[in-house]
Amino acid sequence: MELVYPPVILSCKALFRVLDLRLDLRGTEHVPTSGGAVLACTHVSYLDFVFCGLAALPARRRARFMAKQQIFANRIAGPLMRGMRHISVDRSAGQASYREAVAALRGGEVVGVFPEATISRSFTVKPIKTGAVRMAAEAEVPVIPVTVWGSQRLWTKGHPRNLTQRHVPVLIRVGEPFRPAPGDDPEVLTKDLRSRMSALLDTAQREYPEVPPPGEAPFWLPAHLGGSAPTPEAAAETENPETGAAGGR
């Protein structure tokens, strides 16, 4: 019996109503009503796991997200994360969390992952890790690309959170699933996944209903769309100044 997840969902929905967020969710028919699946989501804000999780609700599924160990250590968030059966990731010993995720997938769970590992300061899709496609191939379940756009206006890296801002449009798009097979090249699969995630994000950005006035360059828009967010190259340099690239696998 789920004792923690349902009231957390209700609380989040109540907050959305208070803020009068303009949620626009499309493509949920791609989430299977039974069996395991990997939700591979873009990452532009600290709230993306909440919005990505909404993508599974129409199919009456509850996603189990892989999240960094520090969140589980928090005295408030930790019990909630464990109660919702999310998966703790210790980056110094990632194999244990990987095995836990594969077991959850084989057990019929929907597992949510952020293949970029950290928030994209450029609001484009960063280079992604191979874990999402490898665990899907091992568990023989589909990967479903997801994007969230607009959530960065509420709370993102390098900017103060603004959870009192009302009427913010948040677009959630779910793409068509694809099923990696054991023996497939994970690098090729990961390149395909990144292309799918980028296409979804591009679509959400084009469909976003708010356009800044001429001459204004808001922080929440990527540079290539006229915003003041750093370019992917500048963001990578900020994250890893020695190599000019953001992390490894």
PDB file of all heavy atoms in Angstrom, residues 160-198:
ATOM      1  N   PRO A 160      17.683  32.701  -7.721  1.00  0.00           N
ATOM      2  CA  PRO A 160      16.857  32.492  -6.534  1.00  0.00           C
ATOM      3  C   PRO A 160      15.526  31.846  -6.908  1.00  0.00           C
ATOM      4  O   PRO A 160      14.972  32.118  -7.979  1.00  0.00           O
ATOM      5  CB  PRO A 160      16.655  33.905  -5.976  1.00  0.00           C
ATOM      6  CG  PRO A 160      16.896  34.814  -7.137  1.00  0.00           C
ATOM      7  CD  PRO A 160      17.917  34.134  -7.995  1.00  0.00           C
ATOM      8  N   ARG A 161      15.043  30.973  -6.054  1.00  0.00           N
ATOM      9  CA  ARG A 161      13.748  30.356  -6.340  1.00  0.00           C
ATOM     10  C   ARG A 161      12.635  31.395  -6.204  1.00  0.00           C
ATOM     11  O   ARG A 161      12.707  32.312  -5.393  1.00  0.00           O
ATOM     12  CB  ARG A 161      13.489  29.155  -5.434  1.00  0.00           C
ATOM     13  CG  ARG A 161      13.377  29.436  -3.960  1.00  0.00           C
ATOM     14  CD  ARG A 161      13.053  28.149  -3.217  1.00  0.00           C
ATOM     15  NE  ARG A 161      13.006  28.339  -1.778  1.00  0.00           N
ATOM     16  CZ  ARG A 161      14.025  28.118  -0.963  1.00  0.00           C
ATOM     17  NH1 ARG A 161      15.187  27.714  -1.451  1.00  0.00           N
ATOM     18  NH2 ARG A 161      13.902  28.305   0.335  1.00  0.00           N
ATOM     19  N   ASN A 162      11.614  31.220  -7.020  1.00  0.00           N
ATOM     20  CA  ASN A 162      10.477  32.137  -7.040  1.00  0.00           C
ATOM     21  C   ASN A 162       9.198  31.313  -7.068  1.00  0.00           C
ATOM     22  O   ASN A 162       8.560  31.162  -8.110  1.00  0.00           O
ATOM     23  CB  ASN A 162      10.564  33.073  -8.249  1.00  0.00           C
ATOM     24  CG  ASN A 162       9.498  34.155  -8.212  1.00  0.00           C
ATOM     25  OD1 ASN A 162       8.673  34.198  -7.295  1.00  0.00           O
ATOM     26  ND2 ASN A 162       9.489  35.026  -9.204  1.00  0.00           N
ATOM     27  N   LEU A 163       8.857  30.747  -5.907  1.00  0.00           N
ATOM     28  CA  LEU A 163       7.696  29.871  -5.822  1.00  0.00           C
ATOM     29  C   LEU A 163       6.411  30.640  -5.542  1.00  0.00           C
ATOM     30  O   LEU A 163       5.373  30.031  -5.267  1.00  0.00           O
ATOM     31  CB  LEU A 163       7.927  28.804  -4.743  1.00  0.00           C
ATOM     32  CG  LEU A 163       9.121  27.888  -4.993  1.00  0.00           C
ATOM     33  CD1 LEU A 163       9.251  26.864  -3.878  1.00  0.00           C
ATOM     34  CD2 LEU A 163       9.002  27.187  -6.340  1.00  0.00           C
ATOM     35  N   THR A 164       6.484  31.969  -5.590  1.00  0.00           N
ATOM     36  CA  THR A 164       5.268  32.771  -5.448  1.00  0.00           C
ATOM     37  C   THR A 164       4.807  33.322  -6.794  1.00  0.00           C
ATOM     38  O   THR A 164       3.775  33.974  -6.878  1.00  0.00           O
ATOM     39  CB  THR A 164       5.512  33.943  -4.478  1.00  0.00           C
ATOM     40  OG1 THR A 164       6.560  34.771  -4.984  1.00  0.00           O
ATOM     41  CG2 THR A 164       5.900  33.429  -3.094  1.00  0.00           C
ATOM     42  N   GLN A 165       5.583  33.053  -7.840  1.00  0.00           N
ATOM     43  CA  GLN A 165       5.228  33.532  -9.178  1.00  0.00           C
ATOM     44  C   GLN A 165       4.004  32.769  -9.688  1.00  0.00           C
ATOM     45  O   GLN A 165       3.973  31.540  -9.683  1.00  0.00           O
ATOM     46  CB  GLN A 165       6.416  33.340 -10.120  1.00  0.00           C
ATOM     47  CG  GLN A 165       6.228  33.973 -11.474  1.00  0.00           C
ATOM     48  CD  GLN A 165       7.474  33.867 -12.329  1.00  0.00           C
ATOM     49  OE1 GLN A 165       7.508  34.396 -13.431  1.00  0.00           O
ATOM     50  NE2 GLN A 165       8.490  33.181 -11.849  1.00  0.00           N
ATOM     51  N   ARG A 166       3.010  33.497 -10.132  1.00  0.00           N
ATOM     52  CA  ARG A 166       1.758  32.878 -10.546  1.00  0.00           C
ATOM     53  C   ARG A 166       1.618  32.848 -12.065  1.00  0.00           C
ATOM     54  O   ARG A 166       2.242  33.624 -12.774  1.00  0.00           O
ATOM     55  CB  ARG A 166       0.566  33.627  -9.925  1.00  0.00           C
ATOM     56  CG  ARG A 166       0.495  33.495  -8.407  1.00  0.00           C
ATOM     57  CD  ARG A 166      -0.532  34.441  -7.802  1.00  0.00           C
ATOM     58  NE  ARG A 166      -1.851  34.261  -8.368  1.00  0.00           N
ATOM     59  CZ  ARG A 166      -2.726  33.304  -8.020  1.00  0.00           C
ATOM     60  NH1 ARG A 166      -2.381  32.433  -7.068  1.00  0.00           N
ATOM     61  NH2 ARG A 166      -3.911  33.221  -8.572  1.00  0.00           N
ATOM     62  N   HIS A 167       0.768  31.934 -12.523  1.00  0.00           N
ATOM     63  CA  HIS A 167       0.358  31.830 -13.925  1.00  0.00           C
ATOM     64  C   HIS A 167       1.502  31.424 -14.861  1.00  0.00           C
ATOM     65  O   HIS A 167       1.421  31.660 -16.066  1.00  0.00           O
ATOM     66  CB  HIS A 167      -0.252  33.143 -14.421  1.00  0.00           C
ATOM     67  CG  HIS A 167      -1.211  33.788 -13.477  1.00  0.00           C
ATOM     68  ND1 HIS A 167      -2.306  33.119 -12.965  1.00  0.00           N
ATOM     69  CD2 HIS A 167      -1.227  35.031 -12.920  1.00  0.00           C
ATOM     70  CE1 HIS A 167      -2.974  33.925 -12.148  1.00  0.00           C
ATOM     71  NE2 HIS A 167      -2.330  35.086 -12.093  1.00  0.00           N
ATOM     72  N   VAL A 168       2.551  30.804 -14.344  1.00  0.00           N
ATOM     73  CA  VAL A 168       3.674  30.414 -15.193  1.00  0.00           C
ATOM     74  C   VAL A 168       3.286  29.192 -16.035  1.00  0.00           C
ATOM     75  O   VAL A 168       2.837  28.177 -15.492  1.00  0.00           O
ATOM     76  CB  VAL A 168       4.920  30.080 -14.351  1.00  0.00           C
ATOM     77  CG1 VAL A 168       6.035  29.498 -15.221  1.00  0.00           C
ATOM     78  CG2 VAL A 168       5.411  31.320 -13.619  1.00  0.00           C
ATOM     79  N   PRO A 169       3.430  29.256 -17.343  1.00  0.00           N
ATOM     80  CA  PRO A 169       3.176  28.062 -18.155  1.00  0.00           C
ATOM     81  C   PRO A 169       4.293  27.028 -17.952  1.00  0.00           C
ATOM     82  O   PRO A 169       5.479  27.373 -17.981  1.00  0.00           O
ATOM     83  CB  PRO A 169       3.187  28.585 -19.600  1.00  0.00           C
ATOM     84  CG  PRO A 169       3.097  30.082 -19.485  1.00  0.00           C
ATOM     85  CD  PRO A 169       3.743  30.426 -18.180  1.00  0.00           C
ATOM     86  N   VAL A 170       3.919  25.780 -17.731  1.00  0.00           N
ATOM     87  CA  VAL A 170       4.882  24.677 -17.642  1.00  0.00           C
ATOM     88  C   VAL A 170       4.424  23.605 -18.619  1.00  0.00           C
ATOM     89  O   VAL A 170       3.332  23.045 -18.476  1.00  0.00           O
ATOM     90  CB  VAL A 170       4.976  24.105 -16.215  1.00  0.00           C
ATOM     91  CG1 VAL A 170       5.938  22.911 -16.198  1.00  0.00           C
ATOM     92  CG2 VAL A 170       5.441  25.169 -15.226  1.00  0.00           C
ATOM     93  N   LEU A 171       5.260  23.351 -19.623  1.00  0.00           N
ATOM     94  CA  LEU A 171       4.937  22.376 -20.665  1.00  0.00           C
ATOM     95  C   LEU A 171       5.655  21.065 -20.380  1.00  0.00           C
ATOM     96  O   LEU A 171       6.857  21.047 -20.093  1.00  0.00           O
ATOM     97  CB  LEU A 171       5.357  22.904 -22.042  1.00  0.00           C
ATOM     98  CG  LEU A 171       4.388  23.842 -22.775  1.00  0.00           C
ATOM     99  CD1 LEU A 171       4.019  25.048 -21.928  1.00  0.00           C
ATOM    100  CD2 LEU A 171       4.969  24.275 -24.108  1.00  0.00           C
ATOM    101  N   ILE A 172       4.908  19.976 -20.439  1.00  0.00           N
ATOM    102  CA  ILE A 172       5.452  18.631 -20.246  1.00  0.00           C
ATOM    103  C   ILE A 172       5.104  17.831 -21.495  1.00  0.00           C
ATOM    104  O   ILE A 172       3.931  17.721 -21.871  1.00  0.00           O
ATOM    105  CB  ILE A 172       4.850  17.957 -18.996  1.00  0.00           C
ATOM    106  CG1 ILE A 172       5.056  18.834 -17.758  1.00  0.00           C
ATOM    107  CG2 ILE A 172       5.460  16.570 -18.781  1.00  0.00           C
ATOM    108  CD1 ILE A 172       4.084  18.553 -16.639  1.00  0.00           C
ATOM    109  N   ARG A 173       6.137  17.320 -22.149  1.00  0.00           N
ATOM    110  CA  ARG A 173       5.934  16.579 -23.385  1.00  0.00           C
ATOM    111  C   ARG A 173       6.540  15.181 -23.249  1.00  0.00           C
ATOM    112  O   ARG A 173       7.685  15.040 -22.817  1.00  0.00           O
ATOM    113  CB  ARG A 173       6.597  17.306 -24.562  1.00  0.00           C
ATOM    114  CG  ARG A 173       6.016  18.702 -24.823  1.00  0.00           C
ATOM    115  CD  ARG A 173       4.620  18.587 -25.427  1.00  0.00           C
ATOM    116  NE  ARG A 173       4.063  19.898 -25.771  1.00  0.00           N
ATOM    117  CZ  ARG A 173       3.263  20.604 -24.966  1.00  0.00           C
ATOM    118  NH1 ARG A 173       2.958  20.114 -23.767  1.00  0.00           N
ATOM    119  NH2 ARG A 173       2.774  21.765 -25.355  1.00  0.00           N
ATOM    120  N   VAL A 174       5.768  14.175 -23.618  1.00  0.00           N
ATOM    121  CA  VAL A 174       6.200  12.777 -23.549  1.00  0.00           C
ATOM    122  C   VAL A 174       6.343  12.255 -24.972  1.00  0.00           C
ATOM    123  O   VAL A 174       5.395  12.330 -25.766  1.00  0.00           O
ATOM    124  CB  VAL A 174       5.199  11.923 -22.762  1.00  0.00           C
ATOM    125  CG1 VAL A 174       5.727  10.494 -22.598  1.00  0.00           C
ATOM    126  CG2 VAL A 174       4.896  12.547 -21.399  1.00  0.00           C
ATOM    127  N   GLY A 175       7.516  11.745 -25.293  1.00  0.00           N
ATOM    128  CA  GLY A 175       7.771  11.259 -26.645  1.00  0.00           C
ATOM    129  C   GLY A 175       7.470   9.784 -26.812  1.00  0.00           C
ATOM    130  O   GLY A 175       7.143   9.074 -25.854  1.00  0.00           O
ATOM    131  N   GLU A 176       7.618   9.314 -28.030  1.00  0.00           N
ATOM    132  CA  GLU A 176       7.376   7.908 -28.324  1.00  0.00           C
ATOM    133  C   GLU A 176       8.462   7.042 -27.704  1.00  0.00           C
ATOM    134  O   GLU A 176       9.644   7.396 -27.725  1.00  0.00           O
ATOM    135  CB  GLU A 176       7.338   7.679 -29.831  1.00  0.00           C
ATOM    136  CG  GLU A 176       6.159   8.334 -30.524  1.00  0.00           C
ATOM    137  CD  GLU A 176       6.091   7.978 -31.994  1.00  0.00           C
ATOM    138  OE1 GLU A 176       6.929   7.150 -32.440  1.00  0.00           O
ATOM    139  OE2 GLU A 176       5.207   8.512 -32.692  1.00  0.00           O
ATOM    140  N   PRO A 177       8.090   5.898 -27.150  1.00  0.00           N
ATOM    141  CA  PRO A 177       9.081   5.012 -26.544  1.00  0.00           C
ATOM    142  C   PRO A 177       9.902   4.274 -27.593  1.00  0.00           C
ATOM    143  O   PRO A 177       9.475   4.113 -28.732  1.00  0.00           O
ATOM    144  CB  PRO A 177       8.228   4.030 -25.727  1.00  0.00           C
ATOM    145  CG  PRO A 177       6.903   4.015 -26.423  1.00  0.00           C
ATOM    146  CD  PRO A 177       6.710   5.389 -27.009  1.00  0.00           C
ATOM    147  N   PHE A 178      11.087   3.867 -27.187  1.00  0.00           N
ATOM    148  CA  PHE A 178      11.861   2.934 -28.001  1.00  0.00           C
ATOM    149  C   PHE A 178      12.469   1.906 -27.062  1.00  0.00           C
ATOM    150  O   PHE A 178      12.665   2.170 -25.876  1.00  0.00           O
ATOM    151  CB  PHE A 178      12.925   3.654 -28.838  1.00  0.00           C
ATOM    152  CG  PHE A 178      14.059   4.253 -28.063  1.00  0.00           C
ATOM    153  CD1 PHE A 178      15.296   3.630 -27.998  1.00  0.00           C
ATOM    154  CD2 PHE A 178      13.903   5.473 -27.407  1.00  0.00           C
ATOM    155  CE1 PHE A 178      16.349   4.198 -27.297  1.00  0.00           C
ATOM    156  CE2 PHE A 178      14.954   6.046 -26.701  1.00  0.00           C
ATOM    157  CZ  PHE A 178      16.179   5.406 -26.653  1.00  0.00           C
ATOM    158  N   ARG A 179      12.732   0.735 -27.587  1.00  0.00           N
ATOM    159  CA  ARG A 179      13.122  -0.391 -26.719  1.00  0.00           C
ATOM    160  C   ARG A 179      14.541  -0.850 -27.045  1.00  0.00           C
ATOM    161  O   ARG A 179      14.759  -1.553 -28.026  1.00  0.00           O
ATOM    162  CB  ARG A 179      12.143  -1.547 -26.885  1.00  0.00           C
ATOM    163  CG  ARG A 179      12.350  -2.690 -25.901  1.00  0.00           C
ATOM    164  CD  ARG A 179      11.306  -3.775 -26.113  1.00  0.00           C
ATOM    165  NE  ARG A 179       9.988  -3.364 -25.679  1.00  0.00           N
ATOM    166  CZ  ARG A 179       9.505  -3.592 -24.454  1.00  0.00           C
ATOM    167  NH1 ARG A 179      10.258  -4.220 -23.567  1.00  0.00           N
ATOM    168  NH2 ARG A 179       8.290  -3.194 -24.133  1.00  0.00           N
ATOM    169  N   PRO A 180      15.521  -0.455 -26.223  1.00  0.00           N
ATOM    170  CA  PRO A 180      16.883  -0.967 -26.404  1.00  0.00           C
ATOM    171  C   PRO A 180      16.909  -2.475 -26.182  1.00  0.00           C
ATOM    172  O   PRO A 180      16.154  -3.011 -25.359  1.00  0.00           O
ATOM    173  CB  PRO A 180      17.692  -0.241 -25.324  1.00  0.00           C
ATOM    174  CG  PRO A 180      16.854   0.931 -24.935  1.00  0.00           C
ATOM    175  CD  PRO A 180      15.437   0.494 -25.099  1.00  0.00           C
ATOM    176  N   ALA A 181      17.780  -3.135 -26.895  1.00  0.00           N
ATOM    177  CA  ALA A 181      17.906  -4.587 -26.757  1.00  0.00           C
ATOM    178  C   ALA A 181      19.275  -4.931 -26.189  1.00  0.00           C
ATOM    179  O   ALA A 181      20.258  -4.227 -26.449  1.00  0.00           O
ATOM    180  CB  ALA A 181      17.711  -5.267 -28.103  1.00  0.00           C
ATOM    181  N   PRO A 182      19.357  -6.000 -25.402  1.00  0.00           N
ATOM    182  CA  PRO A 182      20.668  -6.448 -24.930  1.00  0.00           C
ATOM    183  C   PRO A 182      21.596  -6.686 -26.124  1.00  0.00           C
ATOM    184  O   PRO A 182      21.210  -7.277 -27.125  1.00  0.00           O
ATOM    185  CB  PRO A 182      20.350  -7.761 -24.206  1.00  0.00           C
ATOM    186  CG  PRO A 182      18.914  -7.639 -23.812  1.00  0.00           C
ATOM    187  CD  PRO A 182      18.256  -6.852 -24.907  1.00  0.00           C
ATOM    188  N   GLY A 183      22.791  -6.180 -26.037  1.00  0.00           N
ATOM    189  CA  GLY A 183      23.741  -6.324 -27.131  1.00  0.00           C
ATOM    190  C   GLY A 183      23.824  -5.105 -28.023  1.00  0.00           C
ATOM    191  O   GLY A 183      24.781  -4.963 -28.790  1.00  0.00           O
ATOM    192  N   ASP A 184      22.823  -4.210 -27.950  1.00  0.00           N
ATOM    193  CA  ASP A 184      22.901  -2.965 -28.712  1.00  0.00           C
ATOM    194  C   ASP A 184      24.020  -2.086 -28.149  1.00  0.00           C
ATOM    195  O   ASP A 184      24.325  -2.136 -26.954  1.00  0.00           O
ATOM    196  CB  ASP A 184      21.578  -2.203 -28.641  1.00  0.00           C
ATOM    197  CG  ASP A 184      20.474  -2.843 -29.473  1.00  0.00           C
ATOM    198  OD1 ASP A 184      20.795  -3.713 -30.286  1.00  0.00           O
ATOM    199  OD2 ASP A 184      19.301  -2.460 -29.284  1.00  0.00           O
ATOM    200  N   ASP A 185      24.615  -1.291 -29.003  1.00  0.00           N
ATOM    201  CA  ASP A 185      25.697  -0.396 -28.588  1.00  0.00           C
ATOM    202  C   ASP A 185      25.119   0.734 -27.731  1.00  0.00           C
ATOM    203  O   ASP A 185      24.326   1.549 -28.233  1.00  0.00           O
ATOM    204  CB  ASP A 185      26.383   0.185 -29.824  1.00  0.00           C
ATOM    205  CG  ASP A 185      27.611   1.024 -29.495  1.00  0.00           C
ATOM    206  OD1 ASP A 185      27.723   1.513 -28.350  1.00  0.00           O
ATOM    207  OD2 ASP A 185      28.458   1.206 -30.389  1.00  0.00           O
ATOM    208  N   PRO A 186      25.473   0.822 -26.442  1.00  0.00           N
ATOM    209  CA  PRO A 186      24.889   1.863 -25.581  1.00  0.00           C
ATOM    210  C   PRO A 186      25.250   3.273 -26.024  1.00  0.00           C
ATOM    211  O   PRO A 186      24.478   4.207 -25.800  1.00  0.00           O
ATOM    212  CB  PRO A 186      25.454   1.540 -24.190  1.00  0.00           C
ATOM    213  CG  PRO A 186      26.649   0.698 -24.429  1.00  0.00           C
ATOM    214  CD  PRO A 186      26.380  -0.066 -25.684  1.00  0.00           C
ATOM    215  N   GLU A 187      26.404   3.440 -26.647  1.00  0.00           N
ATOM    216  CA  GLU A 187      26.782   4.781 -27.117  1.00  0.00           C
ATOM    217  C   GLU A 187      25.857   5.227 -28.251  1.00  0.00           C
ATOM    218  O   GLU A 187      25.431   6.386 -28.305  1.00  0.00           O
ATOM    219  CB  GLU A 187      28.240   4.788 -27.585  1.00  0.00           C
ATOM    220  CG  GLU A 187      29.255   4.458 -26.500  1.00  0.00           C
ATOM    221  CD  GLU A 187      29.392   5.562 -25.462  1.00  0.00           C
ATOM    222  OE1 GLU A 187      28.875   6.675 -25.703  1.00  0.00           O
ATOM    223  OE2 GLU A 187      30.004   5.317 -24.414  1.00  0.00           O
ATOM    224  N   VAL A 188      25.542   4.318 -29.154  1.00  0.00           N
ATOM    225  CA  VAL A 188      24.631   4.635 -30.259  1.00  0.00           C
ATOM    226  C   VAL A 188      23.228   4.910 -29.716  1.00  0.00           C
ATOM    227  O   VAL A 188      22.554   5.866 -30.127  1.00  0.00           O
ATOM    228  CB  VAL A 188      24.600   3.483 -31.281  1.00  0.00           C
ATOM    229  CG1 VAL A 188      23.523   3.725 -32.338  1.00  0.00           C
ATOM    230  CG2 VAL A 188      25.965   3.323 -31.941  1.00  0.00           C
ATOM    231  N   LEU A 189      22.772   4.075 -28.786  1.00  0.00           N
ATOM    232  CA  LEU A 189      21.456   4.258 -28.184  1.00  0.00           C
ATOM    233  C   LEU A 189      21.375   5.594 -27.445  1.00  0.00           C
ATOM    234  O   LEU A 189      20.351   6.287 -27.495  1.00  0.00           O
ATOM    235  CB  LEU A 189      21.159   3.117 -27.208  1.00  0.00           C
ATOM    236  CG  LEU A 189      20.948   1.732 -27.808  1.00  0.00           C
ATOM    237  CD1 LEU A 189      20.866   0.687 -26.702  1.00  0.00           C
ATOM    238  CD2 LEU A 189      19.678   1.699 -28.653  1.00  0.00           C
ATOM    239  N   THR A 190      22.449   5.946 -26.752  1.00  0.00           N
ATOM    240  CA  THR A 190      22.460   7.194 -25.991  1.00  0.00           C
ATOM    241  C   THR A 190      22.427   8.401 -26.915  1.00  0.00           C
ATOM    242  O   THR A 190      21.749   9.403 -26.628  1.00  0.00           O
ATOM    243  CB  THR A 190      23.703   7.239 -25.081  1.00  0.00           C
ATOM    244  OG1 THR A 190      23.629   6.147 -24.149  1.00  0.00           O
ATOM    245  CG2 THR A 190      23.777   8.538 -24.303  1.00  0.00           C
ATOM    246  N   LYS A 191      23.124   8.311 -28.019  1.00  0.00           N
ATOM    247  CA  LYS A 191      23.073   9.388 -29.009  1.00  0.00           C
ATOM    248  C   LYS A 191      21.651   9.551 -29.544  1.00  0.00           C
ATOM    249  O   LYS A 191      21.155  10.676 -29.715  1.00  0.00           O
ATOM    250  CB  LYS A 191      24.038   9.085 -30.158  1.00  0.00           C
ATOM    251  CG  LYS A 191      24.123  10.188 -31.200  1.00  0.00           C
ATOM    252  CD  LYS A 191      25.152   9.860 -32.278  1.00  0.00           C
ATOM    253  CE  LYS A 191      25.232  10.967 -33.328  1.00  0.00           C
ATOM    254  NZ  LYS A 191      26.243  10.662 -34.376  1.00  0.00           N
ATOM    255  N   ASP A 192      20.975   8.423 -29.787  1.00  0.00           N
ATOM    256  CA  ASP A 192      19.592   8.455 -30.253  1.00  0.00           C
ATOM    257  C   ASP A 192      18.689   9.079 -29.201  1.00  0.00           C
ATOM    258  O   ASP A 192      17.841   9.933 -29.502  1.00  0.00           O
ATOM    259  CB  ASP A 192      19.133   7.038 -30.584  1.00  0.00           C
ATOM    260  CG  ASP A 192      17.703   6.974 -31.105  1.00  0.00           C
ATOM    261  OD1 ASP A 192      17.207   7.992 -31.631  1.00  0.00           O
ATOM    262  OD2 ASP A 192      17.071   5.906 -30.976  1.00  0.00           O
ATOM    263  N   LEU A 193      18.866   8.693 -27.942  1.00  0.00           N
ATOM    264  CA  LEU A 193      18.054   9.234 -26.852  1.00  0.00           C
ATOM    265  C   LEU A 193      18.239  10.741 -26.731  1.00  0.00           C
ATOM    266  O   LEU A 193      17.271  11.489 -26.588  1.00  0.00           O
ATOM    267  CB  LEU A 193      18.401   8.544 -25.535  1.00  0.00           C
ATOM    268  CG  LEU A 193      17.733   9.119 -24.283  1.00  0.00           C
ATOM    269  CD1 LEU A 193      16.208   9.072 -24.399  1.00  0.00           C
ATOM    270  CD2 LEU A 193      18.203   8.369 -23.036  1.00  0.00           C
ATOM    271  N   ARG A 194      19.472  11.191 -26.818  1.00  0.00           N
ATOM    272  CA  ARG A 194      19.724  12.631 -26.708  1.00  0.00           C
ATOM    273  C   ARG A 194      19.052  13.390 -27.851  1.00  0.00           C
ATOM    274  O   ARG A 194      18.489  14.472 -27.656  1.00  0.00           O
ATOM    275  CB  ARG A 194      21.220  12.915 -26.701  1.00  0.00           C
ATOM    276  CG  ARG A 194      21.538  14.394 -26.447  1.00  0.00           C
ATOM    277  CD  ARG A 194      23.016  14.644 -26.304  1.00  0.00           C
ATOM    278  NE  ARG A 194      23.271  16.044 -25.997  1.00  0.00           N
ATOM    279  CZ  ARG A 194      24.100  16.827 -26.670  1.00  0.00           C
ATOM    280  NH1 ARG A 194      24.763  16.346 -27.714  1.00  0.00           N
ATOM    281  NH2 ARG A 194      24.260  18.090 -26.322  1.00  0.00           N
ATOM    282  N   SER A 195      19.071  12.824 -29.047  1.00  0.00           N
ATOM    283  CA  SER A 195      18.399  13.463 -30.181  1.00  0.00           C
ATOM    284  C   SER A 195      16.900  13.562 -29.939  1.00  0.00           C
ATOM    285  O   SER A 195      16.267  14.585 -30.241  1.00  0.00           O
ATOM    286  CB  SER A 195      18.662  12.671 -31.467  1.00  0.00           C
ATOM    287  OG  SER A 195      20.027  12.713 -31.827  1.00  0.00           O
ATOM    288  N   ARG A 196      16.330  12.498 -29.380  1.00  0.00           N
ATOM    289  CA  ARG A 196      14.892  12.501 -29.090  1.00  0.00           C
ATOM    290  C   ARG A 196      14.552  13.533 -28.012  1.00  0.00           C
ATOM    291  O   ARG A 196      13.544  14.258 -28.124  1.00  0.00           O
ATOM    292  CB  ARG A 196      14.440  11.111 -28.645  1.00  0.00           C
ATOM    293  CG  ARG A 196      14.490  10.042 -29.747  1.00  0.00           C
ATOM    294  CD  ARG A 196      14.321   8.648 -29.164  1.00  0.00           C
ATOM    295  NE  ARG A 196      14.418   7.602 -30.145  1.00  0.00           N
ATOM    296  CZ  ARG A 196      13.377   6.954 -30.694  1.00  0.00           C
ATOM    297  NH1 ARG A 196      12.150   7.286 -30.332  1.00  0.00           N
ATOM    298  NH2 ARG A 196      13.569   6.003 -31.584  1.00  0.00           N
ATOM    299  N   MET A 197      15.372  13.589 -26.967  1.00  0.00           N
ATOM    300  CA  MET A 197      15.145  14.555 -25.897  1.00  0.00           C
ATOM    301  C   MET A 197      15.281  15.982 -26.418  1.00  0.00           C
ATOM    302  O   MET A 197      14.478  16.866 -26.076  1.00  0.00           O
ATOM    303  CB  MET A 197      16.126  14.302 -24.751  1.00  0.00           C
ATOM    304  CG  MET A 197      15.896  12.990 -24.019  1.00  0.00           C
ATOM    305  SD  MET A 197      17.263  12.553 -22.882  1.00  0.00           S
ATOM    306  CE  MET A 197      17.156  13.887 -21.678  1.00  0.00           C
ATOM    307  N   SER A 198      16.273  16.223 -27.256  1.00  0.00           N
ATOM    308  CA  SER A 198      16.487  17.562 -27.818  1.00  0.00           C
ATOM    309  C   SER A 198      15.319  17.976 -28.705  1.00  0.00           C
ATOM    310  O   SER A 198      14.879  19.139 -28.676  1.00  0.00           O
ATOM    311  CB  SER A 198      17.797  17.604 -28.619  1.00  0.00           C
ATOM    312  OG  SER A 198      18.917  17.406 -27.776  1.00  0.00           O
TER     313      SER A 198
END
